[in-house]
Amino acid sequence: MSLNTFGHLFRVTTWGESHGPALGCTVDGCPPGVPIEAAAIQHWLDRRKPGQSKYTTQRREADEVRILSGVYEGLSTGTPIQLMIENTDQRSKDYGDIAQTFRPGHADITYWQKYGIRDPRGGGRSSARETAARVAAGGVARAALAVLLPGLRISGYMVQMGPRPIDRSRFDAAEIERNPFWAPDARAAADWAEELDALRKSGNSVGAVIEVVASGVPAGLGAPIYGKLDSDLAAAMMSINAVKGVEIGEGMAAAALTGVENADEIEMGNDGPRFLSNHAGGILGGISSGQDVVVRFAVKPTSSILSPRRSITLAGAETEVVTKGRHDPCVGIRAVPVGEAMMACVILDHLLLDRGQTGGTRGRIG
Amino acid sequence: MSLNTFGHLFRVTTWGESHGPALGCTVDGCPPGVPIEAAAIQHWLDRRKPGQSKYTTQRREADEVRILSGVYEGLSTGTPIQLMIENTDQRSKDYGDIAQTFRPGHADITYWQKYGIRDPRGGGRSSARETAARVAAGGVARAALAVLLPGLRISGYMVQMGPRPIDRSRFDAAEIERNPFWAPDARAAADWAEELDALRKSGNSVGAVIEVVASGVPAGLGAPIYGKLDSDLAAAMMSINAVKGVEIGEGMAAAALTGVENADEIEMGNDGPRFLSNHAGGILGGISSGQDVVVRFAVKPTSSILSPRRSITLAGAETEVVTKGRHDPCVGIRAVPVGEAMMACVILDHLLLDRGQTGGTRGRIG
Amino acid sequence: MSLNTFGHLFRVTTWGESHGPALGCTVDGCPPGVPIEAAAIQHWLDRRKPGQSKYTTQRREADEVRILSGVYEGLSTGTPIQLMIENTDQRSKDYGDIAQTFRPGHADITYWQKYGIRDPRGGGRSSARETAARVAAGGVARAALAVLLPGLRISGYMVQMGPRPIDRSRFDAAEIERNPFWAPDARAAADWAEELDALRKSGNSVGAVIEVVASGVPAGLGAPIYGKLDSDLAAAMMSINAVKGVEIGEGMAAAALTGVENADEIEMGNDGPRFLSNHAGGILGGISSGQDVVVRFAVKPTSSILSPRRSITLAGAETEVVTKGRHDPCVGIRAVPVGEAMMACVILDHLLLDRGQTGGTRGRIG
Amino acid sequence: MSLNTFGHLFRVTTWGESHGPALGCTVDGCPPGVPIEAAAIQHWLDRRKPGQSKYTTQRREADEVRILSGVYEGLSTGTPIQLMIENTDQRSKDYGDIAQTFRPGHADITYWQKYGIRDPRGGGRSSARETAARVAAGGVARAALAVLLPGLRISGYMVQMGPRPIDRSRFDAAEIERNPFWAPDARAAADWAEELDALRKSGNSVGAVIEVVASGVPAGLGAPIYGKLDSDLAAAMMSINAVKGVEIGEGMAAAALTGVENADEIEMGNDGPRFLSNHAGGILGGISSGQDVVVRFAVKPTSSILSPRRSITLAGAETEVVTKGRHDPCVGIRAVPVGEAMMACVILDHLLLDRGQTGGTRGRIG
């Protein structure tokens, strides 16, 4: 990762500010001959699009993606794919005061401290709007993975909103697409809806935990020691706006386990090793084991809220900040497709890296 | 991060296996003119060295570091610094069976799957022994930071062993160096000692949570969007053996907070902004705010245990694995100096990156 | 350099094909607070623009650059600067046959061999049109250099066309802007005009040598051993379409010199060392010496010519290729501003790298 | 390339100074399962070793390589391979004056200017001794290529010493190993011997041109636009000490050709396209065509000579410098195996990169 680029061989560079004329990404290193259609990428963008329920920002963005390069007659050519999304709804008047004050919990102040200049319109580069570009890049990654790893499935969902986790015993994958929270637990979704209504009305916001699972990842992706699959996933998820924690498998809870509990025992299945549990989250020593790759990340509550908070102005005066504008009361909701996109990009990148170094050969067991 | 290298401008490449003739690292990009002594690096290595209490592996390694390049008359020259540690205690007979079976929870199987070959002696490249090289590199980073950021303090300690966290109300920094757990809470250390004795005797192991805090980090380190300070810290910590989760500030707990609670309010201090809380862990939008940078990571329990676990052999036969040898019952203990070293490396790297791009200029407030 | 990106800290990623909807570049790592105007970048693009004399392709491209991100109220913000140029003149019918045959000397065949797919319209990604994006990026680099190194001057010019070099004794910098060849020798320009007319009419083309000189480069830019200033310049110039050779200072002619002749003797000037000659081209051991940095590169003749050449078709049939369309008879002419742009980018990148590592401190002499 | 590292997937980081305790390299990204023996690497080092004829420095170095990691039971494991060469002959007294004066034409002054410190013993990091590490890395690359591209042949030789080129009509590959100049023209070797004797006795030195040819490179290696095979070769060769120019195929002479002359016509051979000439040097659009890859580079004369040259001291006083010590009168001779090693590393790196992105699939012709 290097400033605005991530990935080793499949490399994505995003650009653009919340209220500039456009934003987008350059996807470099995509394998050639992959069917890429704007409509397919649009599908993923639409899942992330604001204004789809009362629980997300009412900002209306068409978020229409255009493919400007790297695709010829519907197929990737192996050259950089430029994906551009024009910003169409830029009510920057909403943000007038923002230029002179720093929102507590927001990157306003650190951008100013670092650069001595910042684009205050809609948070500029630090806006969650940047994640649209990642989702578009993820659409390209998914298209390539559909060719290279047809058995791969990536599924993201919310497992906690505020202090309330889902009940894993009620986990129902079919529920995920049925509620505005991408919750696999219908009852949790209903509870969250009620709670979020109340929070929104009181000018408050709340955090969330997202889980993203990739099934069908072959054993052998990742690399020691700093190119570990989990290191790259951690960096990828932590780079998403407002993320404060990342877990693989048991995550922080691994601390509380004993070695006897934590060891995922192995038996021999019909087509290779079979693990009896998945505390590891599908990654051992930085390398995928063939089990589901399981990542979770925590998204803090939106810092742009209507409740007044103490802060200071550019001139150093103390003040109270109330952030108007159209903000997500739980920005974690829209982080679900973003987390999926990052998972897709990282897995594709490691798939290419692995076949680069090893040629895809594998050690035989049995 | 790229396979065995991490860092952007201050780049560390580690090499070596647990039971090979030596291991070490190449530190590239160190500023010139920094006083570097083997003795000072040795100081940090000695903190990580095995065999110092009954709670760490009884493997005896001198872990003596030699500086082979990049230092002239006690000062860094700006060229690569090679730090080598010879392996002196390689009782590889302890690991005889290991070559034919896969320890559950260990990278044995994934290395084999990926490469079709593995060095089974002591875990080879996947051994925690690799972290000695990081600690050595961290010693160089600290030496450079002592010149460039004399006010910086990095402090690591254990905040949880197994299911038992420290009591933050008893936090006493002076305790950290007084017990074998680097615990800032004497009572917790005593409890852990008792628990770990029992676990060790029963052939079991346990996980832990480590916290590393850097004080005196100036505002402005880090970068949008994929070169975020927290992204790089997450990758750095996740790259340490056995780490399964990384948190910045509130970490996973941020999910449970509301925006009102989470916002770190700001007032004007004598020498700039002053935050009234630090839920953010010192990083906003990927850029340091001048507050303490707070990172936590969870270390899973050692998978090399004496308790039998079901597994398979290379030939695909089912078996039970009991790992003899001299293993840490709580590998988290020795991860403390490793986490500190990674913090030092990441902060120096971002300090150099920042002065590269911005020249160190800062936006004025007040 | 990494596929479509070059630079370490000042990183440029170009994208786009000759006949796609647009092309452009993402400039990452620009220092903040630099005045950036589209008009200033346009100035440099206009120098490269086709159709300005009968010696360059008659393709008419507005080549109008738009700044889509990274600039706020006329100043760079430190975030990625996206520069887009829409393609307005895409007479792709000119290229109909090209899709089925391979032009000798052209990348048609290797793109096909590598990717199994290619965008044949106007050469796709391999078109010299890609260099417009570099020139735009160079415009940003120059803007930053104007702030950071106000004494820097970059000057490119043609020193040879076909077998005819300029006469260095007639070197007149003022001539460079006065003739369509950027020749510093008016008589050479006149000769070349005559020769090129004849070549063009006969359906032929010719090569050229370009020299780019940077004056006012401070001592100390560059780095051992693989981040040498000359290594990066060599890669940068060799990456320009049709370039087959790169020289620093004496270049290939250095082979013919003795050590006595080649040594640039040094005396003490008023403000530091003064060299009595510049065989080294301003770079010693990969690091700038404070003298003029002198680079030359050879551009091969355009391979798209009207003279029939033997070739094969996609189906493997032998054929003769005659390339119609609007091609430069001496593509070296338009490479002059491209070489200047690459010089600007490389120098800025190394300036940032150097202040990152060393903080810009310098060893004192005298 | 990044300071002391080169390569994308097959990455080599060299370290060490001329007169420090040791030097070496870390080779990261080597495919697993490659037979690697110290003796085979030693073979290549021995070709570069000083003191083998009166035409190279009389410094006696055993240059014995040790493999410290990454190889298990004679096979690469996919983890970093550390190759170390201890410095055994460090007569640093020879270099006493050097610390206070700057040799004209040498990196003494620029290292000092950049870093404010330098290791003066034997040129420190800027010594050609660093190239031993490259040759060792090249030995690993060759071992991997022997597995992956068994038909590959890399051959380097001198084609010019001082002003005297070989006569290509007398080219005899068998001669290369028979004379101390690696000259494929016996008569040129005899002439050079005479000339170099005279130069050496007069305390002078001379430059040279080296050509390195790789046969059996498959079509499709390389990448647009900044990851071109020729860009990487140019950077690789230019990074060798004393190199001032790099050419691919016709090189600088391409400028003098017309498009008709330069176009390498194509016909259909039994197993694919066959080119009727190779002006391109095997690379079109940055991608290999399947023809021989041909690179040439010019090495300037050694600047460490016995003839007095005007210079200055650290204190700024003017002086005359006479460099005693044991220096190569034509450092180009020993650059031959170094150029071969760089070719091997670059080709392997691009082979891995290509199979990473494309999986090694190829477009069909015929």
Side-chain angles (χ1 to χ4, degrees):
Chain A
M1 298 217 170
S2 154
L3 302 189
N4 293 278
T5 299
F6 69 92
H8 305 263
L9 279 192
F10 181 79
R11 293 167 70 83
V12 177
T13 304
T14 71
W15 55 270
E17 276 81 38
S18 177
H19 283 55
L23 57 80
C25 63
T26 311
V27 179
D28 200 6
C30 183
V34 171
I36 309 267
E37 286 176 71
I41 297 172
Q42 193 65 47
H43 167 75
W44 302 111
L45 276 168
D46 288 349
R47 289 163 62 95
R48 182 206 154 277
K49 199 164 66 174
Q52 300 194 103
S53 80
K54 62 184 170 182
Y55 306 113
T56 57
T57 172
Q58 293 308 298
R59 178 170 169 166
R60 291 275 152 71
E61 289 285 358
D63 273 3
E64 197 179 319
V65 67
R66 287 181 63 200
I67 299 174
L68 297 185
S69 67
V71 176
Y72 179 64
E73 297 187 341
L75 297 176
S76 64
T77 59
T79 61
I81 300 171
Q82 181 61 229
L83 303 172
M84 184 174 75
I85 299 163
E86 289 183 74
N87 289 324
T88 51
D89 181 17
Q90 308 159 24
R91 288 198 231 166
S92 56
K93 65 180 173 325
D94 284 353
Y95 295 88
D97 297 341
I98 292 301
Q100 298 304 318
T101 58
F102 302 113
R103 282 168 287 180
H106 199 278
D108 292 341
I109 192 165
T110 52
Y111 269 60
W112 176 259
Q113 287 172 308
K114 182 180 186 75
Y115 298 117
I117 179 175
R118 74 187 166 99
D119 180 346
R121 299 166 303 166
R125 182 77 180 140
S126 73
S127 166
R129 189 146 175 65
E130 183 270 346
T131 59
R134 304 175 188 234
V135 172
V140 172
R142 285 177 195 259
L145 287 165
V147 174
L148 296 171
L149 279 186
L152 182 78
R153 292 291 171 271
I154 294 173
S155 175
Y157 40 85
M158 249 170 76
V159 293
Q160 183 181 330
M161 195 195 80
R164 303 190 197 188
I166 60 165
D167 179 340
R168 296 249 170 194
S169 71
R170 285 198 300 260
F171 195 104
D172 177 2
E175 271 304 315
I176 296 171
E177 304 277 337
R178 285 193 203 122
N179 62 69
F181 299 98
W182 316 102
D185 169 354
R187 204 179 308 168
D191 291 349
W192 296 346
E194 206 172 316
E195 183 166 341
L196 200 55
D197 269 334
L199 279 164
R200 190 168 48 85
K201 281 170 191 158
S202 71
N204 209 340
S205 62
V206 76
V209 177
I210 315 302
E211 186 167 281
V212 182
V213 175
S215 307
V217 177
L221 304 195
I225 295 286
Y226 307 109
K228 286 180 171 173
L229 184 57
D230 36 2
S231 270
D232 279 358
L233 284 168
M237 299 309 173
M238 195 65 96
S239 77
I240 301 172
N241 301 56
V243 172
K244 301 303 286 184
V246 181
E247 302 187 313
I248 306 292
E250 285 290 335
M252 299 306 292
L257 298 180
T258 66
V260 169
E261 292 162 342
N262 185 64
D264 297 314
E265 294 183 300
I266 317 173
E267 61 180 24
M268 197 64 194
N270 291 330
D271 52 354
R274 189 161 56 206
F275 295 86
L276 305 186
S277 54
N278 190 13
H279 298 289
I283 303 176
L284 292 167
I287 299 172
S288 62
S289 66
Q291 286 196 283
D292 284 1
V293 173
V294 181
V295 181
R296 271 182 312 286
F297 55 92
V299 180
K300 71 178 183 183
T302 319
S303 46
S304 300
I305 50 178
L306 280 163
S307 302
R309 297 278 82 197
R310 292 180 58 190
S311 186
I312 57 173
T313 68
L314 199 52
E318 301 196 347
T319 183
E320 279 207 329
V321 175
V322 170
T323 309
K324 291 169 193 157
R326 298 150 294 156
H327 297 283
D328 288 279
C330 177
V331 76
I333 300 172
R334 293 204 291 131
V336 173
V338 181
E340 290 180 343
M342 297 310 281
M343 176 70 92
C345 290
V346 171
I347 287 178
L348 176 60
D349 187 30
H350 274 280
L351 188 70
L352 303 186
L353 263 181
D354 178 69
R355 78 173 175 183
Q357 188 187 4
T358 73
T361 55
R362 286 293 175 269
R364 202 177 157 204
I365 297 175
Chain B
M1 297 221 171
S2 154
L3 303 190
N4 294 277
T5 299
F6 68 94
H8 305 265
L9 279 191
F10 181 80
R11 293 167 71 83
V12 177
T13 303
T14 71
W15 55 271
E17 277 81 39
S18 177
H19 283 53
L23 57 78
C25 62
T26 312
V27 179
D28 200 5
C30 183
V34 171
I36 310 267
E37 286 176 71
I41 297 173
Q42 194 63 47
H43 168 75
W44 303 110
L45 276 168
D46 287 347
R47 290 163 62 95
R48 181 205 155 278
K49 200 163 66 173
Q52 301 194 102
S53 79
K54 60 184 171 183
Y55 306 113
T56 57
T57 172
Q58 294 309 300
R59 177 170 168 167
R60 290 277 151 72
E61 288 286 358
D63 273 4
E64 197 178 320
V65 68
R66 286 182 64 201
I67 300 175
L68 297 184
S69 67
V71 176
Y72 180 63
E73 298 186 342
L75 298 175
S76 64
T77 60
T79 61
I81 299 170
Q82 180 62 228
L83 303 172
M84 183 173 75
I85 299 163
E86 288 182 75
N87 289 323
T88 52
D89 181 16
Q90 308 158 25
R91 287 197 235 165
S92 54
K93 64 181 174 326
D94 284 352
Y95 294 89
D97 298 341
I98 292 301
Q100 298 304 318
T101 57
F102 302 113
R103 282 167 287 181
H106 199 278
D108 291 340
I109 192 166
T110 52
Y111 269 62
W112 175 261
Q113 287 171 308
K114 183 180 187 75
Y115 298 116
I117 178 175
R118 74 186 167 97
D119 180 346
R121 299 166 302 166
R125 182 78 182 140
S126 74
S127 166
R129 188 142 177 70
E130 182 271 345
T131 60
R134 305 175 188 233
V135 172
V140 172
R142 285 178 195 257
L145 287 164
V147 173
L148 296 171
L149 280 186
L152 183 79
R153 291 291 170 273
I154 294 173
S155 175
Y157 40 85
M158 248 172 75
V159 294
Q160 184 180 329
M161 195 196 79
R164 303 189 198 187
I166 59 165
D167 180 339
R168 296 249 171 197
S169 71
R170 287 198 299 261
F171 194 106
D172 176 2
E175 272 303 316
I176 296 172
E177 304 277 338
R178 285 193 204 123
N179 61 71
F181 299 98
W182 316 103
D185 169 354
R187 204 178 308 170
D191 292 349
W192 296 346
E194 205 171 317
E195 183 165 343
L196 200 54
D197 270 333
L199 280 163
R200 192 168 46 87
K201 282 169 190 158
S202 71
N204 209 342
S205 62
V206 76
V209 178
I210 315 300
E211 186 167 281
V212 182
V213 175
S215 307
V217 177
L221 304 195
I225 294 288
Y226 307 109
K228 287 179 170 175
L229 183 57
D230 35 3
S231 271
D232 279 357
L233 283 168
M237 299 309 173
M238 196 64 96
S239 76
I240 300 172
N241 301 55
V243 171
K244 301 303 286 185
V246 181
E247 303 187 313
I248 306 291
E250 285 289 335
M252 300 306 292
L257 298 179
T258 65
V260 168
E261 292 161 344
N262 184 64
D264 296 314
E265 293 184 300
I266 316 172
E267 62 181 23
M268 198 64 195
N270 290 331
D271 53 354
R274 188 161 57 206
F275 295 87
L276 305 186
S277 54
N278 190 13
H279 299 289
I283 304 176
L284 292 166
I287 299 172
S288 62
S289 66
Q291 287 195 283
D292 284 1
V293 172
V294 181
V295 181
R296 266 183 314 286
F297 56 93
V299 180
K300 70 177 184 185
T302 319
S303 45
S304 300
I305 50 179
L306 280 163
S307 302
R309 298 278 80 198
R310 294 181 56 192
S311 186
I312 58 174
T313 68
L314 199 51
E318 303 197 346
T319 185
E320 280 208 329
V321 176
V322 169
T323 310
K324 291 171 194 155
R326 298 150 294 156
H327 298 283
D328 289 278
C330 177
V331 75
I333 300 172
R334 293 204 292 132
V336 173
V338 181
E340 289 180 343
M342 296 311 281
M343 176 71 92
C345 290
V346 171
I347 287 178
L348 176 60
D349 187 30
H350 274 280
L351 188 72
L352 302 186
L353 262 181
D354 178 70
R355 79 174 176 183
Q357 188 186 4
T358 73
T361 54
R362 286 293 176 267
R364 203 179 155 202
I365 297 174
Chain C
M1 296 218 170
S2 154
L3 302 191
N4 294 278
T5 299
F6 69 93
H8 305 264
L9 279 191
F10 182 80
R11 293 167 69 84
V12 177
T13 303
T14 71
W15 55 271
E17 277 80 38
S18 178
H19 284 53
L23 58 79
C25 62
T26 311
V27 178
D28 200 6
C30 183
V34 171
I36 309 268
E37 285 177 71
I41 296 172
Q42 194 64 48
H43 167 74
W44 303 110
L45 276 168
D46 288 348
R47 289 163 61 95
R48 182 205 154 277
K49 199 162 68 174
Q52 299 194 104
S53 80
K54 61 185 170 182
Y55 306 112
T56 58
T57 171
Q58 294 307 300
R59 179 171 167 166
R60 290 277 151 71
E61 288 287 358
D63 273 4
E64 197 178 320
V65 68
R66 286 182 63 201
I67 299 174
L68 297 184
S69 68
V71 176
Y72 179 62
E73 296 187 342
L75 297 176
S76 64
T77 60
T79 61
I81 300 171
Q82 180 62 227
L83 303 172
M84 184 173 75
I85 299 163
E86 289 183 74
N87 289 323
T88 52
D89 180 16
Q90 307 158 24
R91 286 198 234 165
S92 55
K93 65 179 173 329
D94 284 352
Y95 295 88
D97 298 341
I98 291 300
Q100 298 304 318
T101 57
F102 302 114
R103 283 167 286 180
H106 199 277
D108 292 340
I109 192 167
T110 52
Y111 269 60
W112 176 259
Q113 287 171 309
K114 182 180 187 76
Y115 298 116
I117 179 175
R118 72 187 168 99
D119 179 347
R121 300 167 302 166
R125 182 76 180 141
S126 74
S127 166
R129 189 145 176 67
E130 182 270 346
T131 59
R134 304 175 187 232
V135 172
V140 172
R142 285 177 194 259
L145 287 165
V147 173
L148 297 170
L149 279 186
L152 183 78
R153 292 291 172 272
I154 293 173
S155 175
Y157 40 86
M158 249 171 76
V159 294
Q160 184 181 329
M161 195 194 80
R164 304 189 196 187
I166 60 165
D167 179 339
R168 295 247 171 198
S169 70
R170 285 197 300 261
F171 194 105
D172 177 2
E175 271 304 314
I176 296 171
E177 304 277 337
R178 284 193 204 124
N179 61 70
F181 298 97
W182 317 102
D185 169 354
R187 205 178 307 167
D191 291 350
W192 296 347
E194 206 172 314
E195 183 165 342
L196 200 54
D197 270 333
L199 280 163
R200 190 169 48 85
K201 281 170 191 157
S202 70
N204 209 341
S205 62
V206 77
V209 178
I210 315 301
E211 186 167 280
V212 182
V213 175
S215 309
V217 177
L221 305 194
I225 295 286
Y226 307 108
K228 287 179 171 175
L229 184 57
D230 35 3
S231 270
D232 279 357
L233 284 169
M237 299 309 173
M238 196 64 97
S239 77
I240 300 172
N241 301 57
V243 171
K244 301 303 288 186
V246 180
E247 303 187 312
I248 306 292
E250 285 290 334
M252 300 305 293
L257 297 180
T258 65
V260 168
E261 291 162 343
N262 184 64
D264 297 315
E265 294 184 299
I266 317 172
E267 61 180 24
M268 198 63 195
N270 291 330
D271 51 354
R274 189 162 56 206
F275 294 87
L276 305 187
S277 55
N278 189 13
H279 298 289
I283 304 176
L284 292 167
I287 300 173
S288 62
S289 66
Q291 286 195 284
D292 285 1
V293 172
V294 181
V295 181
R296 268 183 314 285
F297 55 93
V299 180
K300 71 178 182 183
T302 319
S303 45
S304 301
I305 50 177
L306 280 162
S307 301
R309 297 278 81 197
R310 293 179 58 189
S311 186
I312 58 174
T313 68
L314 199 51
E318 301 197 346
T319 183
E320 279 207 329
V321 176
V322 169
T323 310
K324 291 169 193 157
R326 298 151 295 157
H327 296 283
D328 289 279
C330 177
V331 76
I333 299 173
R334 293 205 291 132
V336 173
V338 180
E340 289 179 344
M342 296 311 281
M343 176 70 92
C345 291
V346 171
I347 288 178
L348 176 60
D349 187 30
H350 274 280
L351 188 71
L352 302 185
L353 263 180
D354 177 70
R355 78 173 176 184
Q357 188 187 4
T358 73
T361 54
R362 286 294 175 267
R364 204 179 155 202
I365 297 175
Chain D
M1 297 223 170
S2 154
L3 303 190
N4 294 278
T5 300
F6 69 92
H8 305 265
L9 280 191
F10 180 80
R11 294 166 69 83
V12 177
T13 303
T14 70
W15 55 271
E17 278 80 38
S18 177
H19 283 53
L23 55 80
C25 61
T26 312
V27 178
D28 200 5
C30 183
V34 172
I36 310 266
E37 286 176 71
I41 296 173
Q42 194 65 47
H43 167 75
W44 302 110
L45 276 168
D46 288 348
R47 290 162 61 94
R48 181 205 153 277
K49 201 164 66 174
Q52 300 194 102
S53 79
K54 60 184 170 181
Y55 306 113
T56 57
T57 171
Q58 292 310 299
R59 178 171 168 165
R60 290 276 152 72
E61 289 285 0
D63 273 5
E64 197 178 319
V65 68
R66 286 181 63 200
I67 300 175
L68 296 184
S69 67
V71 176
Y72 179 63
E73 297 186 343
L75 298 176
S76 65
T77 61
T79 60
I81 300 171
Q82 180 62 228
L83 304 173
M84 184 173 75
I85 299 163
E86 288 182 74
N87 289 323
T88 51
D89 181 16
Q90 308 158 26
R91 287 198 233 165
S92 55
K93 65 179 175 327
D94 284 352
Y95 294 89
D97 298 341
I98 292 300
Q100 299 303 319
T101 57
F102 302 114
R103 282 167 288 180
H106 199 277
D108 292 340
I109 192 166
T110 52
Y111 269 61
W112 176 259
Q113 286 172 309
K114 183 179 187 76
Y115 298 116
I117 179 176
R118 74 188 167 95
D119 180 345
R121 300 167 302 167
R125 181 76 180 140
S126 73
S127 166
R129 188 143 177 68
E130 182 270 344
T131 59
R134 303 175 189 233
V135 172
V140 172
R142 286 177 194 257
L145 288 165
V147 174
L148 297 170
L149 280 187
L152 183 77
R153 292 292 171 271
I154 294 174
S155 174
Y157 40 85
M158 249 171 74
V159 293
Q160 184 180 330
M161 196 195 78
R164 303 189 197 186
I166 60 165
D167 179 340
R168 296 248 170 197
S169 71
R170 286 197 300 261
F171 194 106
D172 177 2
E175 272 303 316
I176 296 172
E177 304 277 338
R178 285 194 203 122
N179 61 72
F181 299 98
W182 317 101
D185 168 355
R187 203 178 307 166
D191 292 348
W192 297 346
E194 204 171 318
E195 182 165 342
L196 200 54
D197 270 332
L199 279 163
R200 192 168 47 85
K201 282 170 191 159
S202 71
N204 209 342
S205 63
V206 76
V209 177
I210 315 302
E211 187 166 281
V212 182
V213 175
S215 307
V217 177
L221 304 194
I225 294 287
Y226 307 110
K228 287 179 171 175
L229 184 57
D230 36 3
S231 271
D232 279 358
L233 284 169
M237 299 308 173
M238 195 65 97
S239 76
I240 301 172
N241 300 56
V243 172
K244 302 302 288 185
V246 181
E247 302 187 312
I248 306 291
E250 285 290 335
M252 299 305 292
L257 297 180
T258 66
V260 168
E261 292 161 343
N262 184 65
D264 296 315
E265 293 184 299
I266 317 173
E267 61 181 23
M268 199 62 195
N270 290 331
D271 52 354
R274 189 161 56 206
F275 294 87
L276 306 186
S277 55
N278 189 14
H279 298 289
I283 304 175
L284 291 167
I287 299 172
S288 63
S289 66
Q291 286 195 283
D292 285 0
V293 172
V294 182
V295 181
R296 267 182 314 285
F297 55 93
V299 180
K300 70 178 182 184
T302 319
S303 46
S304 300
I305 49 177
L306 280 163
S307 302
R309 298 278 81 199
R310 294 180 56 190
S311 186
I312 58 174
T313 68
L314 199 52
E318 302 197 346
T319 184
E320 279 207 330
V321 176
V322 169
T323 309
K324 290 169 195 158
R326 298 149 295 156
H327 297 284
D328 289 277
C330 178
V331 75
I333 299 172
R334 293 204 292 133
V336 172
V338 181
E340 289 180 343
M342 296 310 282
M343 176 71 91
C345 291
V346 171
I347 287 177
L348 175 60
D349 187 31
H350 274 279
L351 188 72
L352 302 186
L353 263 180
D354 178 69
R355 79 174 176 183
Q357 187 186 6
T358 74
T361 55
R362 287 293 175 267
R364 203 179 155 203
I365 297 174

